Amino acid sequence: MSTPKYNERVRMTSAEALSILGREKPVFLKGLSQAEVEMVVAKASIRRYAANAVITNEAAGANHLFLLLEGAGRGYALTSRGEKIGLGWFPAGRIMGWAALVSQRLDYIVSMEAVTSSSALVWDRITIQALAATLPRLLENALSLAYDYVVVYRSLHLAALCDSAPQRLAQVLVQLAKGMGHEVDQGIELNISNEELANEAHVTIFTVSRLMREWRQRGLLTKGRGSIVVRQPDELLQMKT
């Protein structure tokens, strides 16, 4: 089990965090007044994580709730052979560690790591439960986010059963680009490796390499070292073979 690591030497002020929240408009804080948002933020600590730093460990006590301010997170589990299996990506504005909202003591069901240099608001379970009791809208928003992930899981499960490898890869690529990427002149740039795409789409890395080459030749994307620019997301989603 890896020890969660964060950097307290680089400080972010509450005012800076509030500015980011105003830009990201996280669902978790939807419907709260500005005064209520400020109260919630005042009760949090602000942590920074280096790229690839562990944020939470699977099976460890769910003692904190995290709201990503900057960067991105990724969920994963380890197999009995020590292989890392990706279980979803979390862009800025999303929360991680819902179990901390529940009065019953639960464990994290996945490990979380920072994909890039990231920062997060962090509440201990007692504090976030007290805030949720005072502001029930927080629980409603958390349930709304949980529903969204059930919808995504349903879509991915059906895709794994019914869709071809190109369709699965195209869906993963477009979803990640829209959720985690940033706009550039040629399209949407996403920092991700072929291995990570293969893991997310449940295909082999050889299939990813072949399809990336074919789609690049068709002008649907461009590829650099560790990054992809999706140029034609709608056309990608029409992939059948």
Side-chain angles (χ1 to χ4, degrees), residues 1-2 4 53-64 66 73-79 83-90 95-100 106-114 149 153 200:
M1 180 182 295
S2 301
V54 174
I55 300 174
T56 67
N57 279 302
E58 178 184 4
N63 295 322
H64 295 88
F66 304 81
R74 174 171 51 208
Y76 67 92
L78 295 177
T79 68
E83 298 171 327
K84 184 185 290 186
I85 304 298
L87 295 172
W89 295 57
F90 294 77
I95 59 172
M96 302 179 293
W98 287 276
L106 299 173
D107 295 334
Y108 296 120
I109 59 173
V110 299
S111 296
M112 297 295 307
E113 64 182 358
Y149 281 108
Y153 173 79
E200 293 293 329

Side-chain angles (χ1 to χ4, degrees), residues 17 29 45 48 51 53 57 76 80 85 98 118 120 149 159 182 214 222 235-236 240:
L29 302 177
S45 61
R48 287 190 182 273
N57 279 302
Y76 67 92
S80 58
I85 304 298
W98 287 276
S118 304
Y149 281 108
H182 58 277
E214 292 177 4
T222 58
E235 290 189 33
L236 269 177
K240 301 296 183 184

Side-chain angles (χ1 to χ4, degrees), residues 67-78:
L67 191 159
L68 277 177
L69 291 169
E70 299 173 313
R74 174 171 51 208
Y76 67 92
L78 295 177

Side-chain angles (χ1 to χ4, degrees), residues 2-239:
S2 301
T3 301
K5 295 180 180 179
Y6 58 94
N7 185 358
E8 290 188 311
R9 292 176 294 178
V10 183
R11 303 298 297 175
M12 176 187 292
T13 67
S14 294
E16 290 172 326
L18 287 167
S19 177
I20 293 171
L21 293 174
R23 182 175 69 247
E24 294 292 340
K25 295 179 171 49
V27 174
F28 184 58
L29 302 177
K30 183 179 179 180
L32 300 186
S33 68
Q34 183 61 28
E36 290 170 335
V37 171
E38 290 175 2
M39 179 180 71
V40 172
V41 171
K43 297 289 186 179
S45 61
I46 302 174
R47 298 181 181 177
R48 287 190 182 273
Y49 297 89
N52 301 314
V54 174
I55 300 174
T56 67
N57 279 302
E58 178 184 4
N63 295 322
H64 295 88
L65 180 78
F66 304 81
L67 191 159
L68 277 177
L69 291 169
E70 299 173 313
R74 174 171 51 208
Y76 67 92
L78 295 177
T79 68
S80 58
R81 293 181 294 182
E83 298 171 327
K84 184 185 290 186
I85 304 298
L87 295 172
W89 295 57
F90 294 77
R94 290 287 180 163
I95 59 172
M96 302 179 293
W98 287 276
L101 283 162
V102 181
S103 58
Q104 177 186 355
R105 285 194 171 274
L106 299 173
D107 295 334
Y108 296 120
I109 59 173
V110 299
S111 296
M112 297 295 307
E113 64 182 358
V115 179
T116 62
S117 177
S118 304
S119 62
L121 291 172
V122 184
W123 298 269
D124 63 67
R125 64 187 303 273
I126 294 175
T127 299
I128 196 60
Q129 288 175 21
L131 284 169
T134 303
L135 302 170
R137 184 60 188 263
L138 291 174
L139 284 178
E140 182 180 338
N141 292 340
L143 285 172
S144 176
L145 286 166
Y147 174 81
D148 288 344
Y149 281 108
V150 172
V151 171
V152 171
Y153 173 79
R154 175 184 180 276
S155 175
L156 292 175
H157 188 64
L158 288 174
L161 292 174
C162 305
D163 292 348
S164 66
Q167 287 175 317
R168 294 200 303 276
L169 180 59
Q171 289 172 9
V172 165
L173 186 56
V174 172
Q175 287 175 356
L176 289 177
K178 290 183 176 180
M180 312 278 291
H182 58 277
E183 293 187 6
V184 295
D185 290 341
Q186 293 183 319
I188 307 174
E189 184 176 36
L190 176 68
N191 296 319
I192 193 168
S193 68
N194 282 2
E195 184 178 3
E196 290 168 331
L197 281 172
N199 190 19
E200 293 293 329
H202 302 290
V203 298
T204 68
I205 193 169
F206 303 105
T207 297
V208 173
S209 297
R210 174 178 61 81
L211 291 172
M212 290 290 107
R213 183 170 57 254
E214 292 177 4
W215 293 346
R216 185 172 63 247
Q217 291 171 349
R218 295 172 63 172
L220 300 177
L221 54 81
T222 58
K223 195 171 189 312
R225 186 173 183 179
S227 69
I228 297 169
V229 176
V230 179
R231 303 180 65 184
Q232 304 289 343
D234 291 337
E235 290 189 33
L236 269 177
L237 291 177
Q238 300 303 315
M239 292 292 102

